[in-house]
Amino acid sequence: VHGALRSTMPSRRPAAKPESPIVAGSESWRHGSALEGVDDVHQALAIPLVLALYRLFRPVNEGLARQVVVLGALVSVPIMFMNVVHELATLTLVGHPAFLASVFTPQQMDALAYFFLRLHGKGIDVASVFWGLWLFPFATLVVRSGFIPRVFGVLLAWVLERYTFPGKRLVDGLV
C-alpha cells in the first residue's frame, strides 16, 4: 500500500533520511486537494441547478421533480461537503503536528492519514450512489416533458444503464 503511494506522490525534499511515503508525498497531496476545491464549487453549483430543473419540470410531474431535487442535491451535496473533513484530517496528520506528537508516533499518524484518505474515497462512493440515482427521475421527466426531445431522455436512461458508479452494485441489489 505504501509503495503505491510512493509511486504516485513523489517527494520534492532531499532524501537525507528515510521518511514515510505519505509524508514524502504530502506536497503532492496538498496540490491535489486544492484541485478538489473545484469539485466543491461544482457541488455548490449543483443546488441552484437542480432547483432550476425542479421549476422547469414541476408542471410535468411534481413528484418526479422533487425526486430530482432530493437525489440530485439535497443528499449528495451534504455528503460531499462533509467528506471534506476527511481531506482536512489527512492534511493535518501528514504534517505530524506537535499537538499530536505526544500521543501518536509518526507511523501511527501516517496510518491515520491513510485511513482518512481511504475514508474520503468511501465518502465519494456513497455520494456516487445518489449521483446515479437522480438520473432515473430526470430521464423520465425529459421523456414526458414534450418540450425536450424524447431522444435525450432515452439517451440519459441508456447512459444510466451503462454508468458504472461505485455504488451501482448496491443499487442493482436493491432493484
Side-chain angles (χ1 to χ4, degrees):
V1 171
H2 287 292
L5 283 176
R6 178 171 289 149
S7 66
T8 59
M9 296 189 286
S11 174
R12 294 185 180 173
R13 300 179 201 161
K17 62 176 184 145
E19 51 186 322
S20 81
I22 294 175
V23 174
S26 65
E27 188 173 330
S28 296
W29 167 253
R30 288 178 209 280
H31 293 302
S33 185
L35 290 175
E36 285 209 15
V38 172
D39 192 45
D40 296 336
V41 170
H42 166 262
Q43 293 300 318
L45 292 176
I47 295 171
L49 170 69
V50 170
L51 289 175
L53 288 173
Y54 172 76
R55 289 184 61 197
L56 179 68
F57 288 114
R58 182 177 48 195
V60 176
N61 184 315
E62 189 171 0
L64 287 173
R66 283 185 190 153
Q67 289 177 17
V68 167
V69 171
V70 170
L71 297 172
L74 296 183
V75 178
S76 64
V77 171
I79 290 170
M80 287 304 294
F81 280 136
M82 286 302 300
N83 204 30
V84 171
V85 172
H86 303 133
E87 286 181 282
L88 296 175
T90 302
L91 287 171
T92 300
L93 288 163
V94 297
H96 294 170
F99 72 93
L100 290 176
S102 63
V103 216
F104 297 110
T105 67
Q107 293 81 13
Q108 290 171 325
M109 283 191 264
D110 289 346
L112 280 171
Y114 184 66
F115 168 73
F116 280 109
L117 183 62
R118 296 288 306 259
L119 203 55
H120 176 71
K122 297 299 180 189
I124 292 172
D125 289 351
V126 170
S128 75
V129 170
F130 300 101
W131 294 336
L133 285 178
W134 85 283
L135 293 175
F136 283 115
F138 183 49
T140 304
L141 286 167
V142 169
V143 168
R144 292 181 183 176
S145 70
F147 53 83
I148 297 176
R150 287 181 175 215
V151 69
F152 291 118
V154 172
L155 284 172
L156 269 171
W158 180 77
V159 166
L160 180 60
E161 174 61 29
R162 280 144 185 80
Y163 176 54
T164 308
F165 53 95
K168 189 172 191 309
R169 286 176 291 193
L170 171 68
V171 173
D172 289 342
L174 295 175
V175 176

